Amino acid sequence: MRKILFLIAGAAFSINTFGQTIVSENFNAFTAGNAGSDTTATTAGQGGYYLYTGTVADYQIAVIDAAHGNSLRITSGAGYSSTAITNNRYVLKPVSTTATAGNDILKGSLQIYTGPATGAGIIECIVTDASMGIVGINYDFATKKIMGMGRLTPVTTGTAGFYNIPLGTATYPANTWISVSFTYNKTTGACSWTYPEGTYTFSNAAYTVSPGLTPTQLDFISLTNTGNTVANQSAVDNINLSFVNVTTLDTNEVKSSRESLSIYPNPVVDYLTVKSDSKVSKVEVYDMAGRKTNTTLNGDKVDVTHLNSGNYIINIETKEGKTSKKFIKK
């Protein structure tokens, strides 16, 4: 079982969007249905993704909701074994792009769909090299929390391992999309993770980090944990992996990092949480026809229980200006 390191969130880490794209995938060009036909990771399926364990029915290109179009849905086995990987599911994509001079930051971003979240296990996105994970992020079905993942070496042992790193205190309910990202600095070895509550950059004197690692594979893995008895179903979408640099910061990303503005859960049933480092002075919610709805902000919560199911735009005003975000009312 992967080690878990308990930490407290710290300072933000900002990067720009210029660089080399390694993977950019929203699955909309894929054919709905089986993601591949071989679950031995011998023959590539759609988009060059390899499948491992289970049956082809466990790996589907499916429409979770209209706003996302096609997504990659993964279903684990309905059980758990401490000695075999029978109930785990793996989607693997080889990557081979070498960073050019100056592009020393590996940046990944994606959306994770939590699914029913009734079993014991996690859905994770990991970038690996030939030996183990470099950096990644996951969602735990049982705790309903986000965790970062990174290669760390305990000072006391000198042996590198791939660790889970809890991020924040928020929980994310069933059938919710969560936007997350991570970075790995090839020069320094530093890792950071961005999630709806904010951004955390790893810092702990009891561990050293690992610079100079070269990614060779992008993995999406549904792992089962002790006591699992259900087929955990989840999905990923809007995958982006690239090499970028920090020499020229993009104005919009600097602003976004400073505000750390996000909304969740999305889709939402009753109350939408607005998270921002800057004080939110006003919110306005509009339907897709441009009609303003009768909604108010109470603390960091917006009551949307009275809204009809569908897509909406929320305008969020802070001292930094106005930001618009789309959300789905279930």
Side-chain angles (χ1 to χ4, degrees), residues 224-273:
T224 54
N225 285 343
T226 305
N228 182 63
T229 60
V230 303
N232 299 306
Q233 190 176 95
S234 54
V236 293
D237 201 358
N238 296 321
I239 315 302
N240 285 281
L241 187 66
S242 59
F243 282 118
V244 296
N245 63 75
V246 295
T247 56
T248 306
L249 296 179
D250 177 77
T251 303
N252 291 332
E253 287 213 33
V254 172
K255 178 180 177 181
S256 178
S257 174
R258 183 169 61 244
E259 284 195 74
S260 297
L261 195 154
S262 61
I263 59 173
Y264 59 90
N266 190 10
V268 60
V269 175
D270 42 25
Y271 291 92
L272 189 68
T273 298

Side-chain angles (χ1 to χ4, degrees), residues 251-310:
T251 303
N252 291 332
E253 287 213 33
V254 172
K255 178 180 177 181
S256 178
S257 174
R258 183 169 61 244
E259 284 195 74
S260 297
L261 195 154
S262 61
I263 59 173
Y264 59 90
N266 190 10
V268 60
V269 175
D270 42 25
Y271 291 92
L272 189 68
T273 298
V274 179
K275 182 73 175 180
S276 173
D277 286 349
S278 298
K279 180 179 175 60
V280 177
S281 57
K282 183 180 181 181
V283 298
E284 296 174 332
V285 174
Y286 294 85
D287 64 19
M288 300 311 290
R291 295 183 292 262
K292 184 178 178 180
T293 66
N294 183 23
T295 51
T296 58
L297 179 70
N298 185 8
D300 63 353
K301 308 290 185 185
V302 180
D303 185 354
V304 296
T305 54
H306 61 289
L307 297 181
N308 295 325
S309 297

